[in-house]
């Protein structure tokens, strides 16, 4: 089981210069993989780039939001990545 990105079929909005918003959206692994990778990089950066793969995996799984069926499930794996919680890990 893996970990999913921030949304399954909704969109992300980013505030850009001048107050304009850019809409990004997507579903599936093509959308969630880069988001999860970004949070992993953020988490590793909090530790000066010294985390090994097992530590990163543990940090992402232990800070993910449980969504869908309680616990690990086929639809959401270990849950939705939570960047805020990961940086407090």
């Amino acid at each position: 089981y893996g970990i999913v990105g921030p949304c399954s079929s909704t969109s992300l909005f980013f505030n850009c210069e001048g107050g304009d918003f850019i809409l990004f959206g997507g579903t599936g692994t093509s959308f969630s993989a880069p988001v999860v990778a970004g949070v992993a990089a953020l988490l590793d950066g909090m530790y000066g780039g010294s985390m090994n793969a097992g530590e990163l995996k543990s940090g992402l799984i232990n800070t993910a939001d449980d969504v869908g069926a309680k616990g690990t499930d086929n639809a959401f794996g270990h849950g939705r990545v939570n960047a805020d919680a990961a940086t407090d890990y």
Side-chain angles (χ1 to χ4, degrees):
Y1 293 100
I3 191 167
V4 298
C7 49
S8 58
S9 61
T10 57
S11 302
L12 295 175
F13 292 90
F14 294 93
N15 191 0
C16 299
E17 284 186 41
D20 294 330
F21 286 89
I22 296 177
L23 170 67
F24 292 93
T27 61
T29 57
S30 295
F31 183 71
S32 61
V35 174
V36 174
V39 174
L42 181 64
L43 176 59
D44 190 35
M46 299 290 294
Y47 288 90
S50 64
M51 296 182 84
N52 64 40
E55 291 168 332
L56 278 171
K57 179 180 176 182
S58 179
L60 291 172
I61 289 172
N62 290 324
T63 59
D65 296 328
D66 190 9
V67 293
K70 187 165 179 65
T72 303
D73 60 71
N74 290 330
F76 296 99
H78 291 285
R80 180 180 52 224
V81 69
N82 183 326
D84 186 45
T87 58
D88 290 336
Y89 181 70

